Structure formats: structure tokens, C-alpha cells
Amino acid sequence: MVVPRSVFGLSLLIILRAGTSAGIGFHFASYIDNYMVLQKEPSGAVIWGFGTPGATVTVTLCQGQETVMKKVTSVQDSDTWMVVLDPMKPGGPFDVMAQETLGIMNFTLRIHDVLFGDVWLCSGQSNMQMTVLQVFNATQELSDTSAYQSVRIFSVSLNYAEEELEDLSKVDLSWSKPTPENLGHGNFTYMSAVCWLFGRYLYDTLQYPIGLVSSSWGGTPIEAWSSRRSLKACGVPKTRKESVTEKSETNSQTCSFKSISKYFVIGPKEDCVLWNAMIHPLHNMTLKGVVWYQGESNADYNRDLYNCTFPALIEDWRETFHHGSQGQTERFFPFGFVQLSSYWSVNKSDYGFPQIRWHQTADFGFVPNLKMPNTFMAVTMDLCDRNSPFGSIHPRDKQTVAYRLHLGARAVAYGEKNLTFQGPLPKKIEFFASSGLLNLTYDQQIQVQRQDSKIFEISCCSDHQCKWLPAPMTTFSTQTLSLGTSACLGTVTALRYAWTLWPCEYKQCPLYHPSSTLPAPPFTTLITDQVPGH
């Protein structure tokens, strides 16, 4: 709509909705729109867009009739403009107005119902892409939105590019309040269930607005989500160009590749193309943190590099978002991820999943660690789903996944003290040769849900050959566990736990933390502490 401010030749005021163009290209960036959440204090939110080089842009934050602040900048030679708002307390709603002044012309953009809170980016492959429509108790979950109208959602369209894009080329779901329609638009078609449920659990704790940005694509390796510099740092070989059937996205027991793939689009495999098109365009956004669910597609592709490529991705995303937001996104912002769940296969013994689970922790077995500071992890190997209509690689219990993620966020991102957010790990392992017992002392209390004879394995070596043998659980107490090693007639050199594709049935792994019901994570370690006598 064009409104003349005078009859002859004086300035014109042109009012535009967010995302539209004023002929000469004055508009907000694609993700700045009605109903959005901007990052709250202590950071300042970034507002940016495109315009005519040399023009002045004034950004005004309003609440009702009150002007809260004004920021003035100019359009750069790159056609972009940007302001950083002063840090704001959580709440709203606010209006954001941007006015471009060029000679006698004024062009004005306005968005409404903007909230300040914490903004989380969710990314990965198909388990992150699954919608609320596809999870357990979907009908109830889709109807449970009225209390969460301050949890706002945004979903990036599937897209790839050979070079880094400055802005998103398209959007699946503009910033919206949650409804059954946009939480369950279709199978693998916005909005991410893990992302939504994670944000909902956070809102229950924090009681202020949460913004959720979903950008994920099924069947994609980590290399596609990485920048060229991070892949180079890990010595990743040149990308594959041919079309590859992702065996890690199939289920040989319950679902063929053809029947699974009808539910979602298998994404591109080439290096950097999703980073370029679906992550880099967001890098000016001020974030609180990121949650990530990916790794299945690397079970048989560059698997042995994942202990480098994943920490490198985290570091590179942190540096890029910090720089892009003018230092407003924390340099080492919190980064949470989901350790791979189980997968039913009759063809291979492990399919590379145990190695990827281990490499997701940079081979420490836990996070945060020295290579992955300020990170948190949801262990999900006990959330298997043999009968999932989307294949067992897509388990439907995303509520527990999100709940475990949010515990990590509360502890790592929000500094909540005395909160158990990860399961028990051994802090001391002793081998008593005379009795043939391995004694494990854990870093916290353990609950032995059942005594398993196969989930612990020892590496037994003789005549320069080693093989893995079961080490049955024998005795246990509140923090210790003993394993029998009588099956080994040679030398016990290593121990591993849950080192298999399918470690246990649903929520039936042997070891948990007693009060939090968090499972003990998988691990592998050398046996260095050998005691001759008991």
C-alpha cells in the first residue's frame, strides 16, 4: 500500500509486511517475521536485512504506543544493513519497525507480536526431522499446545547450495505459534518433534519465551552440514558426487529402503552444501544454543573421522555464529546432541553404530570433555522401537529423547546445580587375576535393573590374537559392580559396554542412575590396573 504524505514531490511512506520487497529491495532477512522470538539478555538481538547502499535505516522497538529503543545504521555496499538491539529482559509482545530513508523516500517495514527469550537452533538428519505427528501419543501431543503459545517455531526449507548463502532462499514454516497443523504437518515435514518437545520442557522450567529454529534433512552425513574449513581441518577426503543409497537409513528387518524412503527425502551427500544453504544463512542470528541429532549416515561413511568432524563442526558453528551476530551469540555457546539410538539389522553385527556413538563424544564416552567443552548429550540406546512404521532406525519415543536433552541443557546451558543429567560411568576398573573378577567403581550410584550376561565384553588375547568375549555381571552394590572373566583363558586387555547395534530392549538396559533413570552410556577402555591377588 502506498500512502502519499503530500500532494507534490515530498517523501512517500510505504508500509510493507515483513519479507516483502519495496521495489528497490528494502526488506528484512527471511527469518525476521511476525511472532518471532529474539534472544534475551545478556545478549543483544540482531536485526538485519537488505536495502539500497548508502541509505539510512532506523530500527525502532515498540511496545504498544511506547518506543523502547531506536537504532540507526546505514546500508552497506553489500546491500545489507544490521543493528544490534540493547539486551532485553524476557517477555513481550513488541513490534519491530525498520525505516529506510533515501533522499525524499521513506520505506517502512513492521513486524508484530515479537517476544524476547532464548533461541535454540535444532539440526541434523531424519530423527531430528520427524514431526510430532510421528511420535508416540501423537494425538495428545498435538492437542497440548494452548499452554505453550510463548514457544514459537520456525522451520527452514530443504535446500542446498554450492556456495555460502547470505539468506535463506525459502522457508517451510515462518515464525508461528504452535498448532496441531504446524507441529504435525506431515511425515518428516515440519515441525521437528525433538526440537518442539525440547523447547516445551525448557519452557516448563524457565517460564519465559522459547524460540525454536528447525533446519534438518534426512539421510545426510555430517560433511554436508560442515564448512570447508572444518572438513579441511580433519583431513576429510574429497566429497563423493555419485548418488549413494544410505544403508544406514534402511531397516532390513521391518522395512525396505523403498518403503522407508517414501516418507522423507534422502538429502544430498556433498560436502558443505547444507551448511551453505540451511545453516550459514542463519549465522547473523543471536542464539542461546544448538541441539543436534545426526550420525546414522556416517555409520558407513568417513566413520573413523567422526571423532574429528563432529567436534570441528561444533567449533566452527560457534565461531561463525559468534562473528555473524557481532559477538552477541556466545563464543562457546551450549551445544547438545543425541547419541544414536538402536537399530534392528539382521545383516551386520554392529553397522558402525557403536563406533559412531563413541566418536560422538570424541572418544571420551562422556561430555563435556576437553575436546567438547560446554556440550551435553542424551543417551538413547535404550529407546529402541522394533515396530516403528518408519523403520527401527526412527524410534517414536521422542519425548524421552527431548527430556534427557533438556536435563543436559539445564545443567550445562543454564548452570542448574545438583541436577543429574548423565548416567553413571566407571571411574575405576580393577582386574583381580587370582579370582578372575573385574571390579568397576562408578562415579555415581547405580541401579542394576537386571543382570546381563552379554552386554559387558572383555578383549581376551592369546598367541597374538584377541577376541571379544562376554563378561557376565556377578555381584553389585550401590556404586560397584563385578564381572566374571572365566571365559578368557588368555590375557584380559580391554573392556567394553553396550558395544552393539541393539544393546537392550526398550528402557531395559542393565544399568541406570537410580533417581533420574538415565542409562549408563556405552564405553570401551583398556584394562591397565591388574591386581595379582584379591
Side-chain angles (χ1 to χ4, degrees), residues 131-149:
T131 70
V132 181
L133 184 70
Q134 298 173 266
V135 305
F136 285 137
N137 303 316
T139 301
Q140 179 180 342
E141 294 290 358
L142 289 172
S143 65
D144 186 21
T145 60
S146 59
Y148 298 100
Q149 295 300 292

Side-chain angles (χ1 to χ4, degrees), residues 69-375:
M69 76 177 77
K70 282 191 177 184
K71 297 289 180 177
V72 180
T73 188
S74 59
V75 181
Q76 304 302 305
D77 290 341
S78 60
D79 298 342
T80 61
W81 54 268
M82 178 183 295
V83 300
V84 177
L85 301 181
D86 298 336
M88 293 288 295
K89 294 183 182 300
F94 296 87
D95 285 357
V96 177
M97 185 172 67
Q99 184 176 66
E100 181 185 71
T101 303
L102 184 65
I104 62 171
M105 300 288 289
N106 288 333
F107 303 98
T108 301
L109 310 169
R110 185 188 296 271
I111 58 174
H112 69 271
D113 200 350
V114 173
L115 304 178
F116 285 86
D118 282 339
V119 181
W120 286 84
L121 169 61
C122 307
S123 187
Q125 56 181 114
S126 54
N127 271 298
M128 182 63 85
Q129 199 178 2
M130 286 178 72
T131 70
V132 181
L133 184 70
Q134 298 173 266
V135 305
F136 285 137
N137 303 316
T139 301
Q140 179 180 342
E141 294 290 358
L142 289 172
S143 65
D144 186 21
T145 60
S146 59
Y148 298 100
Q149 295 300 292
S150 292
V151 181
R152 305 290 176 80
I153 55 179
F154 179 94
S155 188
V156 175
S157 293
L158 306 184
N159 191 32
Y160 62 94
E162 293 299 321
E163 301 296 334
E164 291 179 347
L165 303 183
E166 286 305 305
D167 196 15
L168 298 171
S169 63
K170 52 185 177 177
V171 170
D172 269 353
L173 179 68
S174 295
W175 281 104
S176 304
K177 297 179 181 180
T179 67
E181 291 73 28
N182 57 36
L183 288 176
H185 187 71
N187 293 332
F188 302 99
T189 310
Y190 71 82
M191 170 66 181
S192 164
V194 169
C195 193
W196 161 250
L197 294 165
F198 170 77
R200 196 182 70 183
Y201 284 127
L202 280 184
Y203 180 82
D204 287 340
T205 298
L206 301 171
Q207 291 295 300
Y208 59 68
I210 301 292
L212 302 170
V213 178
S214 176
S215 182
S216 53
W217 197 337
T220 52
I222 194 170
E223 290 79 6
W225 297 99
S226 303
S227 73
R228 298 190 189 282
R229 55 191 167 271
S230 65
L231 295 180
K232 184 177 179 181
C234 293
V236 174
K238 187 173 176 61
T239 186
R240 53 186 175 183
K241 288 293 183 182
E242 67 277 11
S243 175
V244 178
T245 296
E246 287 301 303
K247 291 181 288 184
S248 60
E249 289 284 3
T250 68
N251 183 311
S252 58
Q253 176 71 8
T254 62
C255 206
S256 69
F257 175 80
K258 183 177 180 181
S259 60
I260 290 179
S261 63
K262 71 181 180 181
Y263 291 111
F264 66 99
V265 178
I266 302 296
K269 314 298 184 292
E270 289 81 13
D271 294 352
C272 315
V273 293
L274 302 183
W275 159 260
N276 290 340
M278 296 177 66
I279 299 299
H280 186 269
L282 304 170
H283 78 287
N284 293 340
M285 182 184 293
T286 309
L287 296 178
K288 174 65 177 180
V290 168
V291 287
W292 171 261
Y293 195 159
Q294 191 276 338
E296 298 92 340
S297 288
N298 285 95
D300 62 351
Y301 177 62
N302 285 344
R303 179 178 61 215
D304 295 337
L305 291 175
Y306 203 91
N307 58 357
C308 180
T309 53
F310 186 38
L313 176 144
I314 295 172
E315 165 61 18
D316 188 65
W317 284 27
R318 284 172 167 168
E319 182 178 2
T320 302
F321 276 86
H322 177 72
H323 179 75
S325 65
Q326 309 299 302
Q328 297 305 305
T329 297
E330 291 182 10
R331 174 63 180 83
F332 297 99
F333 62 73
F335 196 108
F337 63 94
V338 181
Q339 194 179 48
L340 292 193
S341 188
S342 300
Y343 166 46
W344 185 256
S345 170
V346 295
N347 294 332
K348 290 189 176 182
S349 59
D350 63 33
Y351 225 164
F353 271 44
Q355 292 87 348
I356 288 293
R357 291 188 191 114
W358 187 243
H359 292 336
Q360 285 180 299
T361 68
D363 299 350
F364 281 79
F366 60 89
V367 295
N369 59 51
L370 291 175
K371 290 186 178 179
M372 300 174 67
N374 213 30
T375 59

